[in-house]
Amino acid sequence: MAVRISFEGRAAALVGVAVAAAVAVTAYVGLRLQAPLLGVLAGLAVGVLGAVLSTHLLWRPQRRALAALGDGLERLADRDFSAGVGAPPGLDALDGIADAFNTLTRVMRDERLTLFQRELLLDTVLQASPLALLLTSSGGRVIYSNASARQLFNGGAKVEGLAFDALRSQAPDDLREALERDRDGLCTVEIDGQHEVYHVSRRAFTLNARQHQLYQIKQLTAEISRQEVSTWKRVIRVISHELNNSLAPMRSLANSGRTLLKAHQGTPDGLELVFDTIVERAEHLSGFIQSYARFAKLPSPRPEAIDGEEFLRRLAGVVSFRPCGAPPQRPVTADPAQLEQVMINLLKNAHESGSSADQVELELLEDPHRVRLLVRDRGQGMSEETLRSALLPFYSTKRTGTGLGLPLCREIVEAHGGRLRIHNRIEGGVEVMVELPYTAAAAKP
């Protein structure tokens, strides 16, 4: 077992050796050569030499340890937390300093790793957020952006380092004006033929003694649409309740009146027709109200895997269309009955647009994240007003339409976490796009 000698013990041993050597030399020279003064001088020289040698031997490991500690401190100043130092054996004081230094570097290394992981997590969350974020410096340069902001302002390309004024000047007019205002506000931007609503906010704060601006642009189109549909549903439920309360007694009274007339004096000419008409119109109105009630009480989808080829084959047995492109290679997760209802409604609308049957097309496109179902026709197309209002409940250009077909389709698609878009085709006709995610769960209706 190795014996560890302390610094004091080694110093005492070296001093003792030097003193013993000096005494021995002094005694040897004084007694052997009969020269006491010369012996004292010789002993003093040996003692001084021993002291110098002892000091060198004792200080050399300390000097090395202190040099290593200084080098470690310089590396810490350069934010290199991998440095470690060790004290030579026996230097108890330096042992404590070395242990404290190594503990400090380990703590700082762990803290930096934790901070890096938190920054990585925060950046991952911000990059995946649908909220567009832009951070600008006091000089008006973009110093941070997330994926949504890059997509909105520069087509997905990098914007860091660019002048924010230049990016803002290239934005649509309404968005540019909203970004220039000093207060929060809403704006409507037309993107790919669709009107998108954004909420724009701007916040100033100080970072590293410099002024910065944080811009937040949130798309509210889906939320506003859901609120509109929710409002329509409440209106429909109230109207349906009140009308049903009136229609039931009307039908009952009409049947009772007809029965009483027959029982007592027969039915005068034309009165039977009056009662029949009242009952018929009441039943027609009741059925009309029930169609709205079904829209207001659309059940939540029950998604399951749907084979694309089998779905198209089953759909072709109900309504005719010309398929374009190959069926999707991956199953689509959706409620089969609801998705089929959407596609039947859209294909029937295409046939009723004035397009010839062979020009009604259904094309399926897919990428790693979503599948798109495109219904096209070569009919008369839609006016700007019709495009803006087509997805609103009760709006219809058909004389006998209820105005629920397209709103119901949109409600079903959005309940699946997808979206529905309509635009005119360049050479005439309309294209309706139904976009569904592959992996997203059904959204709340």
Side-chain angles (χ1 to χ4, degrees), residues 59-72:
W59 177 248
R60 183 172 60 181
Q62 297 187 61
R63 186 173 62 250
R64 291 177 178 174
L66 290 174
L69 184 60
D71 180 64

Side-chain angles (χ1 to χ4, degrees), residues 315-428:
L315 191 61
V318 180
V319 59
S320 62
F321 60 87
R322 183 160 63 90
C324 298
Q329 301 300 310
R330 298 166 56 190
V332 180
T333 303
D335 186 308
Q338 291 188 4
L339 182 58
E340 188 171 329
Q341 181 180 2
V342 169
M343 300 313 301
I344 290 174
N345 285 348
L346 296 180
L347 289 168
K348 284 185 175 180
N349 284 347
H351 281 284
E352 294 171 359
S353 67
S355 174
S356 61
D358 61 339
Q359 290 181 314
V360 175
E361 302 174 351
L362 174 58
E363 182 176 8
L364 282 79
L365 303 175
E366 60 178 335
D367 60 36
H369 305 291
R370 61 187 64 85
V371 61
R372 296 182 178 93
L373 298 91
L374 306 175
V375 177
R376 306 189 186 100
D377 64 61
R378 286 297 183 188
Q380 299 176 355
M382 293 184 178
S383 65
E384 290 297 323
E385 180 184 357
T386 302
L387 279 176
R388 287 193 299 269
S389 307
L391 297 176
L392 295 178
F394 307 124
Y395 181 85
S396 177
T397 58
K398 301 175 185 177
R399 188 174 62 85
T400 59
T402 62
L404 286 181
L406 287 175
L408 180 62
C409 292
R410 184 183 72 171
E411 177 76 356
I412 292 174
V413 172
E414 291 183 351
H416 283 77
R419 62 175 183 168
L420 187 145
R421 297 288 184 268
I422 306 173
H423 66 268
N424 285 321
R425 303 177 70 183
I426 296 177
E427 297 179 0

Side-chain angles (χ1 to χ4, degrees), residues 14 71 76 78 81 87 102 129 153 207 216 224 256 265 275 279 331 372-373 379 421:
L14 288 174
D71 180 64
L76 284 182
D78 293 334
F81 304 133
N102 292 334
S129 172
F153 286 97
L207 180 64
Q216 304 175 73
I224 291 176
S256 298
Q265 56 184 13
F275 284 121
V279 172
R372 296 182 178 93
L373 298 91
R421 297 288 184 268

Side-chain angles (χ1 to χ4, degrees), residues 180-250:
E180 291 173 350
R181 290 195 294 262
D182 291 332
R183 64 184 186 277
D184 296 357
L186 296 176
C187 65
T188 302
V189 180
E190 184 174 346
I191 300 177
D192 297 332
Q194 304 295 324
H195 292 278
E196 305 288 350
V197 180
Y198 290 94
H199 178 267
V200 180
S201 64
R202 176 181 175 181
R203 298 290 183 271
F205 65 95
T206 302
L207 180 64
N208 295 330
R210 293 186 178 182
Q211 193 75 1
H212 290 71
Q213 298 285 341
L214 177 64
Y215 295 88
Q216 304 175 73
I217 303 104
K218 182 179 182 181
Q219 189 178 34
L220 297 178
T221 310
E223 287 81 355
I224 291 176
S225 297
R226 280 196 289 269
Q227 289 298 323
E228 288 178 350
V229 171
S230 178
T231 301
W232 282 118
K233 286 182 176 182
R234 287 196 295 269
V235 171
I236 290 171
R237 283 194 288 265
V238 171
I239 294 175
S240 298
H241 177 74
E242 295 300 324
L243 287 179
N244 278 324
N245 286 344
S246 300
L247 286 175
M250 285 174 60

Side-chain angles (χ1 to χ4, degrees), residues 251 273-286:
R251 287 197 300 267
L273 179 60
V274 171
F275 284 121
D276 289 342
T277 302
I278 292 174
V279 172
E280 179 187 351
R281 298 313 301 169
E283 291 177 350
H284 175 78
L285 185 56
S286 178

Side-chain angles (χ1 to χ4, degrees), residues 74-101:
E74 290 180 356
R75 295 173 69 177
L76 284 182
D78 293 334
R79 298 185 180 182
D80 179 4
F81 304 133
S82 62
V85 297
L91 298 181
D92 299 337
L94 289 182
D95 277 348
I97 295 176
D99 290 342
F101 179 86

